[in-house]
Amino acid sequence: MPSRLEINFQRLLARCETMAGDKDRGDWRLEKYVCALQDKISELKKAPSPPTDENMTEYNKKVEFLKGLIQAEKLSSPSEKAQAGQLLAPAKSATLPDHTKSSALTSTSKEIHLKAESRYTNEMRKELLGEDDSSPVENGIRHRRKHDEMGSSTEDLDAVLQHHNSMQEKLAEDMLSLTRSLKHNTVVAGNIIQDDNRKLEDTLKLADTNYDKLKVESERLEAHTKRACNWWLWGALAAVCMTFLWMILFIRLFPKRS
């Protein structure tokens, strides 16, 4: 036997589902009632005799579904509403007492979900087709005007299509010529680069050869410089010795007169 708190929660849940299933979506009380349902769920969890785990799961799913439906209704574009409606997961009908069941007032989450998806689809169709909520006479006049305008604008559409085709052909030709020019420039640049590489390799080889020759000549010059220096040194020493000996001999041969 459900508690008094659970019975009140089920009645409020049935009322919210009935309001959500109506076509008129301007009732601001639905969001307030859903907030109250969330508070009552917290109270049910803390109650002395809480509902079963299965019923609590179903209650949570139904409340989350109603919250998602309210958030989807707040979106501006019909496409966003339809996308949000597809993400909603309708819950199964919870077990309600007999005095809260009524074929005229009770709507399951699945039925509400189907109605919402149908409504979002109609809104998307009206947005795509440019329809509004005006009277059928005005819609008929507008449709006849559109039909006349379509007949008169067929030739303009053909001319625009032909112009676009010619522009596309011209653009394709320009792209082909540009591709050919780019290919030719690429080939010429590749040949020039290959010639420069060959010349650079020849220059590097010549520089290596000259470096080897310069190294050999430097070694020969260094050796020649060392030999010349030795000969000049010995010659200078020999000249100094000869000069010293001649001085001694001169002093011996020509002594100083007293």
Side-chain angles (χ1 to χ4, degrees):
M1 181 68 181
S3 62
R4 188 70 179 177
L5 182 61
E6 185 176 359
I7 292 173
N8 293 333
F9 173 81
Q10 291 174 352
R11 287 176 178 175
L12 183 58
L13 179 60
R15 177 61 178 167
C16 291
E17 289 181 341
T18 302
M19 295 173 64
D22 292 338
K23 282 187 177 182
D24 187 9
R25 308 299 299 168
D27 197 344
W28 56 271
R29 296 175 298 175
L30 179 59
E31 187 173 358
K32 302 296 183 182
Y33 288 167
V34 172
C35 293
L37 284 175
Q38 289 181 300
D39 296 337
K40 287 186 178 297
I41 283 181
S42 300
E43 294 177 2
L44 284 174
K45 292 179 180 179
K46 299 177 183 179
S49 57
T52 62
D53 294 339
E54 183 178 359
N55 287 342
M56 285 297 299
T57 303
E58 292 298 327
Y59 293 156
N60 286 320
K61 287 183 179 179
K62 279 181 171 289
V63 174
E64 292 297 327
F65 171 74
L66 292 174
K67 285 175 57 181
L69 189 64
I70 293 173
Q71 295 297 326
E73 288 293 335
K74 291 182 179 180
L75 297 176
S76 58
S77 65
S79 59
E80 292 178 352
K81 290 182 179 180
Q83 186 176 4
Q86 291 177 358
L87 297 177
L88 294 177
K92 299 178 181 179
S93 296
T95 304
L96 300 178
D98 293 337
H99 54 80
T100 60
K101 287 186 179 180
S102 175
S103 60
L105 297 177
T106 304
S107 299
T108 62
S109 298
K110 187 174 182 180
E111 292 174 353
I112 297 172
H113 187 246
L114 292 176
K115 289 180 181 179
E117 284 189 340
S118 177
R119 185 169 60 256
Y120 299 154
T121 304
N122 290 332
E123 291 179 3
M124 288 181 61
R125 181 178 60 82
K126 289 180 181 180
E127 184 183 28
L128 292 174
L129 298 179
E131 297 178 355
D132 53 14
D133 296 332
S134 57
S135 62
V137 178
E138 293 178 354
N139 286 333
I141 295 173
R142 187 180 295 107
H143 289 164
R144 286 196 296 272
R145 288 178 180 175
K146 288 183 178 180
H147 180 72
D148 295 337
E149 291 175 356
M150 287 177 62
S152 61
S153 62
T154 303
E155 296 179 357
D156 296 337
L157 181 60
D158 294 337
V160 171
L161 291 176
Q162 186 176 1
H163 176 69
H164 281 295
N165 290 332
S166 61
M167 291 293 292
Q168 289 178 358
E169 291 177 358
K170 184 178 179 181
L171 182 61
E173 292 177 358
D174 293 340
M175 291 179 66
L176 287 175
S177 62
L178 182 62
T179 304
R180 295 192 190 97
S181 177
L182 183 61
K183 183 178 179 181
H184 176 71
N185 293 335
T186 304
V187 173
V188 172
N191 294 332
I192 293 174
I193 291 172
Q194 289 180 359
D195 293 339
D196 292 340
N197 289 333
R198 284 195 294 269
K199 291 180 180 179
L200 182 61
E201 290 177 357
D202 296 339
T203 304
L204 290 175
K205 291 179 180 179
L206 182 61
D208 292 337
T209 303
N210 293 335
Y211 177 76
D212 294 336
K213 291 181 178 179
L214 180 62
K215 187 176 180 180
V216 172
E217 294 297 330
S218 298
E219 292 176 354
R220 290 178 59 188
L221 179 61
E222 184 179 1
H224 180 71
T225 303
K226 289 180 179 180
R227 287 196 301 270
C229 181
N230 292 332
W231 281 108
W232 279 104
L233 180 62
W234 287 109
L237 290 175
V240 171
C241 293
M242 290 294 294
T243 305
F244 181 73
L245 294 175
W246 277 106
M247 288 295 295
I248 293 174
L249 183 62
F250 181 77
I251 291 172
R252 294 290 184 182
L253 293 177
F254 303 98
K256 185 177 179 181
R257 293 177 183 180
S258 57

